[in-house]
Amino acid sequence: MFRSPLSFAAAIIAAAFAGIAVMGAASAAEPQAVATYKDWSVFVRDADGDKICFAATEAKDKSPKSVNHGDIFFLVSSWKSRAATNQPSLMTGYALNAAPEPTLRVGSDKWDMYVSENEAFIELTSEEERLIRAMRRGADMRISAVSQRGTATSYIISLRGISAALDRVSSECK
């Protein structure tokens, strides 16, 4: 599934702490893996009294092959407090360029994302919900982005197991 469980865990832990820094939290426990559903894994962690549950997967394909992308993950996170529910995000191993915006496609549907350093998010809750519905129906997701160095990149994210993973995230953070 992933190149190495240790590198995946290290990247997920880094992602978890990066997400907490954005939220302004002071302390957090390391994420604990709770389940794997085909290409997606589910994790939980505590952050300043709130429980955060998320599904994560690593990009199955990275282009161009000639560049070092670092670890590329797609996450869907929910907070028990409902600070966010089913919040999709892209995490890259490099700083993203804000223009042009990263784009995400599932089938013929398209979403633009906004950038925060090495992460990209969907701006509107209604668009996040539309993306989650499309992810549950789709086979894969295609993402295009540009690094701050100007390199155009693209990724394929498998959606095998996403429905079961999201159901588990929901039950873990209810």
Side-chain angles (χ1 to χ4, degrees):
M1 179 169 135
F2 301 106
R3 282 187 307 254
S4 128
L6 292 177
S7 69
F8 180 67
I12 289 301
I13 290 168
F17 287 118
I20 286 176
V22 169
M23 298 283 295
S27 66
E30 289 186 8
Q32 302 298 312
V34 295
T36 299
Y37 302 96
K38 296 182 182 169
D39 293 330
W40 287 78
S41 295
V42 175
F43 298 85
V44 298
R45 68 179 165 86
D46 291 316
D48 283 344
D50 200 357
K51 184 176 183 181
I52 301 171
C53 308
F54 59 97
T57 192
E58 190 171 11
K60 292 295 179 190
D61 186 61
K62 304 173 188 179
S63 294
K65 305 282 188 215
S66 60
V67 301
N68 179 6
H69 298 264
D71 293 319
I72 306 297
F73 294 101
F74 200 86
L75 295 88
V76 180
S77 305
S78 292
W79 282 249
K80 187 170 185 169
S81 68
R82 300 293 179 239
T85 302
N86 285 335
Q87 180 185 54
S89 63
L90 169 69
M91 291 200 67
T92 61
Y94 57 89
L96 290 162
N97 204 2
E101 297 173 321
T103 59
L104 187 149
R105 292 182 185 276
V106 178
S108 61
D109 293 328
K110 178 184 169 195
W111 293 261
D112 292 326
M113 303 179 85
Y114 71 90
V115 170
S116 176
E117 297 178 15
N118 70 324
E119 294 181 273
F121 301 91
I122 305 292
E123 187 151 3
L124 300 174
T125 301
S126 61
E127 288 300 296
E128 288 177 339
E129 292 167 357
R130 186 172 73 89
L131 172 58
I132 296 299
R133 286 191 304 271
M135 288 172 66
R136 286 180 176 270
R137 292 188 314 267
D140 61 37
M141 191 166 38
R142 297 177 184 274
I143 301 172
S144 299
V146 176
S147 74
Q148 281 191 344
R149 292 181 177 178
T151 304
T153 59
S154 63
Y155 306 105
I156 297 175
I157 306 291
S158 169
L159 297 175
R160 290 174 12 106
I162 187 63
S163 291
L166 291 177
D167 292 346
R168 182 65 179 265
V169 163
S170 178
S171 70
E172 290 288 334
C173 264
K174 64 178 172 181

